[in-house]
Amino acid sequence: MSYQVLSRKWRPQLFNEIVGQEHVTITLQNAISMDRVAHGYLFSGPRGVGKTTTARVLAKTLNCKNSIDNNPCNKCTNCHDITHGNNLDVQEFDGASNRGIDEIRDLRETVKYPPNNGKYRIFIIDEVHMLTKEAFNALLKTLEEPPAHVIFIMATTDDHKIPVTIKSRTQKFDFKLISEDEIAKFLNKILENEKIEHDNKGIFQIAQKANGSLRDSLSLLDQVIAYSNEKLNVKMIRDVLGIIEENIFLDLLMLINEKKHAELTNYINDLLNKGYSISNFILGFNEFVRNCMIYKSESSIIHNLSEKSINWLESKCSFTIKDIINILDLSLKFEANLKNLLQPQISLEILFLKIALLKNNIVTPTTVQKKTDNDINIKTNPDTKTNVPLKKEGNVSINIEDHKINLHQNQTNKDLTTLSLDKIKDSWKDFINELAKENTKISHFLEDANLVSYNENKLCIKLLNGNNFQQNSLEKDLPQIESIFKKILNKNIEFEIRLDNISKEKSKKSDEKTEEREHPLFEKVIESFEGEIIR
């Protein structure tokens, strides 16, 4: 007999064997015992967590001749045929392959016929989100009022693509990712039955790599077993699956913490030269930083950090919880965009240099305790509960509820409020980009403009090759323009929109031609819809 992969050999055949989905299996078993079985079910959730398996177990239980405790007996003819896909009363459809209206019309004809040997005719539609709009519409009526002997069980990984009209006609069950502990326990059970020596720590590495998918974990286990004829140990599993040791990620954080930028880049290049993939690398790094974040936040969640990492976080690490969150945020964005990068190695180097620079920009307590003559002392008045400024020579501090905070921000705030024409020009591109998110029309008009002057909080702008329509549109939207400007440069200013001399002359001639040629009704339409005549 040919070899059968573990995911098929160990596919659960009873509700009690389905891992990590008790909220679904118990509900279905109770519905069967109470004779409250629905005519339509929608199983949604990530890949490899048991949606199709649960559908098959449900179908077997409903048509089993000798069900035991709301589980199939797996011995009768119906159970045997359903398990092997030979039962005429239980039909499975692949939504990706049979997605058209013709296939659904054939299904609608089939539901009219009563079951052959079982109590129900059951239709399992996998990847149902792949059906076309027309196919969904053809399915609606049958799904709403099917014959009493028909049950639909639909499975999908993308339930947001399912029309609301379909969802409202079914009972929806959300399958969740399976925990690492549950996956590891299931894998250990399989290995004990297969009589394969294994290291529990190595098996947990497989469970972590599977990211909540039991089917993925079984595929990885198959791969590891095929590689080794001996005991499955941690080192071998890491080598086969490309899992990077925790110490490597700890070394990276140490280099960042110690501001060793050159060593950081060399370290990353050495790792990639050893054959580690960038995707495995960034996945492992994000998991490690996440564990550091959990530990730093003193959460009750299990963090899976080694003793060496914990000791470093406790004694030599200068990262705050905020620093770790910022690092993880940058790294997660890189992971999300990895498949679109043309030069992933260069991008990875840039990522870690950004993280290192981010660490260098962190404000330490020594930088905020510098004494200046401009400091202000603010103390809470116990009677009025208000903050009262108090002048004090030398160093001045804020004292609120007995907490002393040293400030050195006056000069910085002053710099933020000082605005010049040059600063506006430097930030003009950012202003235009932000404006484009709110109003593409006026951002386009202002792209080709000359910043003439800035005096007394008034910015004078000349539109190059502009016209009266553009000027009028901008003046109409001045509140929005000024609001976006304040958002970018933190300053309330007034905009003055002008046309250059050439544009004025063109607009004048255009207006004269319009007066001569255009009908008054046409002008009314242009004005109502803010249109523009293009000749």
Side-chain angles (χ1 to χ4, degrees):
M1 183 177 177
S2 62
Y3 173 72
Q4 194 174 31
V5 296
L6 293 176
S7 58
R8 292 187 61 191
K9 183 178 180 180
W10 289 91
R11 183 189 289 272
Q13 302 299 326
L14 302 170
F15 280 120
N16 304 341
E17 295 175 353
I18 295 172
V19 179
Q21 309 298 345
E22 289 78 10
H23 64 294
V24 176
T25 57
I26 292 174
T27 304
L28 292 174
Q29 286 181 289
N30 289 342
I32 294 169
S33 66
M34 297 167 65
D35 197 22
R36 297 177 65 88
V37 179
H39 65 268
Y41 292 98
L42 177 62
F43 295 165
S44 69
R47 70 180 191 279
V49 295
K51 299 184 296 297
T52 306
T53 295
T54 303
R56 290 175 181 172
V57 173
L58 176 60
K60 281 199 297 183
T61 305
L62 292 173
N63 279 349
C64 179
K65 295 180 179 180
N66 305 302
S67 62
I68 305 170
D69 296 330
N70 300 313
N71 268 301
C73 69
N74 286 319
K75 294 179 180 178
C76 68
T77 305
N78 284 351
C79 285
H80 181 272
D81 290 345
I82 294 172
T83 300
H84 294 86
N86 301 324
N87 192 279
L88 296 177
D89 292 335
V90 178
Q91 298 183 40
E92 290 191 31
F93 293 87
D94 177 18
S97 306
N98 304 281
R99 60 194 304 265
I101 190 171
D102 292 335
E103 288 83 358
I104 299 302
R105 282 173 177 164
D106 292 340
L107 186 149
R108 288 173 58 185
E109 290 298 318
T110 306
V111 301
K112 298 176 182 178
Y113 302 104
N116 293 306
N117 296 317
K119 184 178 179 181
Y120 297 98
R121 295 210 70 173
I122 301 172
F123 298 90
I124 300 173
I125 307 177
D126 207 0
E127 301 300 333
V128 68
H129 64 272
M130 297 293 288
L131 295 183
T132 63
K133 181 180 178 181
E134 293 75 17
F136 274 125
N137 289 336
L139 184 62
L140 271 178
K141 187 63 176 176
T142 304
L143 191 60
E144 184 175 24
E145 297 178 359
H149 61 267
V150 170
I151 293 175
F152 287 96
I153 307 174
M154 297 172 286
T156 177
T157 53
D158 295 301
D159 74 305
H160 62 279
K161 295 180 180 179
I162 308 296
V164 177
T165 49
I166 294 291
K167 290 181 182 179
S168 65
R169 289 165 170 81
T170 60
Q171 283 189 15
K172 184 172 177 290
F173 288 87
D174 292 315
F175 285 65
K176 62 183 181 181
L177 290 170
I178 304 171
S179 72
E180 293 169 355
D181 288 335
E182 288 176 312
I183 292 176
K185 184 179 178 180
F186 188 69
L187 296 183
N188 281 314
K189 176 184 174 183
I190 291 174
L191 290 169
E192 287 169 5
N193 279 273
E194 296 283 333
K195 294 181 171 52
I196 297 174
E197 288 189 63
H198 58 282
D199 183 334
N200 288 338
K201 189 175 180 181
I203 300 308
F204 196 79
Q205 294 270 322
I206 296 176
Q208 287 182 312
K209 181 80 171 176
N211 292 321
S213 171
L214 190 62
R215 185 174 64 224
D216 286 1
S217 72
L218 292 172
S219 298
L220 293 172
L221 183 60
D222 254 326
Q223 184 179 344
V224 170
I225 293 172
Y227 177 83
S228 174
N229 293 323
E230 301 177 358
K231 179 180 178 179
L232 306 184
N233 57 57
V234 176
K235 185 179 184 308
M236 184 270 292
I237 289 172
R238 283 175 177 164
D239 291 342
V240 174
L241 302 182
I243 298 172
I244 302 175
E245 292 184 36
E246 180 183 312
N247 285 344
I248 291 176
F249 301 126
L250 177 59
D251 289 343
L252 287 170
L253 281 189
M254 286 179 175
L255 290 172
I256 294 170
N257 187 67
E258 296 165 9
K259 303 178 182 179
K260 296 180 179 179
H261 300 166
E263 290 92 332
L264 179 64
T265 305
N266 292 335
Y267 195 93
I268 293 171
N269 275 279
D270 288 342
L271 281 175
L272 299 182
N273 289 335
K274 289 178 181 177
Y276 291 112
S277 72
I278 293 178
S279 59
N280 282 340
F281 173 82
I282 201 65
L283 186 69
F285 180 76
N286 286 342
E287 181 67 23
F288 175 70
V289 177
R290 177 232 179 212
N291 286 330
C292 292
M293 177 185 68
I294 290 172
Y295 181 81
K296 278 285 189 179
S297 64
E298 299 180 355
S299 171
S300 59
I301 302 172
I302 298 174
H303 50 68
N304 298 322
L305 286 175
S306 67
E307 186 176 348
K308 183 179 179 181
S309 296
I310 292 174
N311 290 338
W312 180 78
L313 288 170
E314 288 284 355
S315 59
K316 297 181 181 179
C317 175
S318 64
F319 293 116
T320 64
I321 182 67
K322 184 177 180 181
D323 303 332
I324 293 174
I325 290 172
N326 288 335
I327 291 171
L328 188 57
D329 183 52
L330 282 174
S331 191
L332 286 171
K333 287 177 181 176
F334 176 89
E335 183 184 352
N337 195 43
L338 181 59
K339 62 183 178 181
N340 301 319
L341 297 175
L342 297 177
Q343 297 284 353
Q345 183 167 341
I346 296 175
S347 299
L348 183 67
E349 293 167 356
I350 292 172
L351 168 68
F352 275 88
L353 287 176
K354 280 183 178 179
I355 291 174
L357 293 173
L358 182 70
K359 177 66 179 71
N360 290 344
N361 289 332
I362 294 170
V363 179
T364 59
T366 55
T367 61
V368 297
Q369 291 176 353
K370 187 176 180 181
K371 300 180 180 181
T372 68
D373 293 334
N374 294 325
D375 290 336
I376 300 174
N377 187 25
I378 301 176
K379 188 173 183 180
T380 302
N381 187 319
D383 298 324
T384 62
K385 304 287 185 182
T386 58
N387 293 335
V388 181
L390 300 174
K391 184 66 181 177
K392 184 178 179 182
E393 293 185 4
N395 181 40
V396 188
S397 57
I398 296 176
N399 190 337
I400 299 177
E401 297 178 355
D402 298 328
H403 292 283
K404 182 173 284 188
I405 305 170
N406 290 308
L407 293 181
H408 186 53
Q409 297 178 338
N410 290 346
Q411 189 61 40
T412 303
N413 292 336
K414 184 178 178 181
D415 291 340
L416 288 174
T417 57
T418 303
L419 197 60
S420 65
L421 186 61
D422 288 337
K423 286 186 178 180
I424 294 174
K425 288 180 179 180
D426 290 340
S427 303
W428 190 250
K429 186 176 180 181
D430 293 336
F431 165 66
I432 293 296
N433 290 337
E434 189 66 26
L435 188 60
K437 297 176 184 178
E438 304 288 337
N439 193 323
T440 54
K441 180 183 72 174
I442 59 178
S443 70
H444 178 69
F445 292 163
L446 288 175
E447 277 182 349
D448 196 16
N450 183 24
L451 306 185
V452 180
S453 63
Y454 174 69
N455 293 305
E456 298 180 355
N457 290 339
K458 179 182 285 188
L459 178 63
C460 180
I461 296 174
K462 277 189 179 181
L463 300 180
L464 305 178
N465 302 314
N467 53 49
N468 286 334
F469 169 73
Q470 293 179 353
Q471 185 181 22
N472 293 336
S473 296
L474 290 169
E475 289 175 347
K476 180 181 177 181
D477 292 320
L478 276 178
Q480 185 179 27
I481 295 171
E482 292 168 356
S483 173
I484 299 296
F485 187 90
K486 182 183 178 182
K487 181 179 178 182
I488 297 298
L489 288 166
N490 196 28
K491 185 75 172 178
N492 283 318
I493 70 163
E494 181 182 346
F495 276 69
E496 182 180 346
I497 312 295
R498 300 178 186 174
L499 296 177
D500 61 15
N501 293 332
I502 297 175
S503 298
K504 283 182 180 179
E505 190 64 28
K506 287 182 179 179
S507 293
K508 183 179 179 181
K509 290 181 180 179
S510 176
D511 291 343
E512 291 174 354
K513 290 179 180 179
T514 301
E515 290 175 1
E516 293 173 1
R517 300 180 185 178
E518 309 300 354
H519 191 280
L521 182 59
F522 185 75
E523 291 180 2
K524 186 67 175 176
V525 173
I526 293 294
E527 181 181 352
S528 299
F529 291 96
E530 297 185 355
E532 180 182 2
I533 302 173
I534 302 175
R535 292 185 172 88

